Amino acid sequence: ESLAKYGLRKEGWWKSILFSLVAFLPLFALYLVRGIKTYMPMVNVLTIYEWLQQGFPNFLIGMVPTIFVWGVVQAVCYALLCDKLNISDPVKHEWLQMGPIYCGIFYLVLNGYGFSVARLPEMLLTFLTIWGLCHARRLSGGNSWGTVLVFSLLLNAFLV
């Protein structure tokens, strides 16, 4: 299967970016309210710190591919998972498709969100963001570049 099947193509790229940014806005608003301490893409990825120790411009050799590949892999994996789940559990109303719902839950579990009342707003908004990213692909005609952008540069980039 080609990567174009999972949305890595030219058609609809601007819609994909627009819808993906809209999906990220509620979570970003929470980050603003809580106070953003720092911005660095993939702040939680351990290899990023190793590359930062190399100094400029050497750290770009490792950081740029890590950030880009991480975003592409996550976007393609969630597109694949969403497609397969929607096929296996079809519903009549597109907004209630099980693929985005399962992907949101999977993201929370995979990224170690433990349940606590203090983290409940962040968990719900993160779930909403992933759900929205899955729908952004559908709304943009199947383009995933907006999802790549959000996963690469926004979702794992803020410390609050």
Side-chain angles (χ1 to χ4, degrees):
E1 298 179 44
S2 74
L3 290 177
K5 179 178 179 183
Y6 300 106
L8 301 180
R9 57 178 180 226
K10 293 179 189 175
E11 301 83 20
W13 65 269
W14 65 273
K15 283 183 185 178
S16 176
I17 291 173
L18 177 68
F19 291 134
S20 296
L21 289 175
V22 167
F24 182 70
L25 279 177
L27 185 59
F28 184 67
L30 177 70
Y31 291 161
L32 287 176
V33 168
R34 289 188 174 171
I36 297 172
K37 294 178 184 146
T38 188
Y39 167 80
M40 184 176 76
M42 300 296 153
V43 70
N44 295 322
V45 178
L46 297 177
T47 59
I48 293 297
Y49 292 104
E50 293 175 18
W51 282 108
L52 282 173
Q53 292 174 355
Q54 302 300 317
F56 182 82
N58 294 337
F59 74 87
L60 293 175
I61 295 168
M63 280 187 65
V64 171
T66 300
I67 291 168
F68 182 73
V69 169
W70 193 289
V72 169
V73 168
Q74 275 194 313
V76 169
C77 286
Y78 280 102
L80 171 68
L81 184 61
C82 193
D83 285 350
K84 300 303 179 191
L85 291 169
N86 286 339
I87 290 169
S88 68
D89 197 4
V91 294
K92 291 184 181 188
H93 197 280
E94 291 177 334
W95 293 102
L96 297 176
Q97 291 176 331
M98 295 312 291
I101 294 170
Y102 289 145
C103 285
I105 294 168
F106 181 69
Y107 184 87
L108 293 176
V109 170
L110 186 67
N111 288 287
Y113 281 81
F115 182 79
S116 71
V117 175
R119 292 201 68 191
L120 189 60
E122 182 181 7
M123 288 172 55
L124 291 173
L125 291 175
T126 301
F127 172 84
L128 182 64
T129 299
I130 301 302
W131 179 84
L133 290 174
C134 290
H135 283 291
R137 182 171 167 266
R138 177 180 60 80
L139 293 170
S140 66
N143 192 300
S144 293
W145 283 113
T147 306
V148 170
L149 173 80
V150 170
F151 276 126
S152 297
L153 300 177
L154 299 175
L155 199 56
N156 300 313
F158 296 99
L159 283 180
V160 291

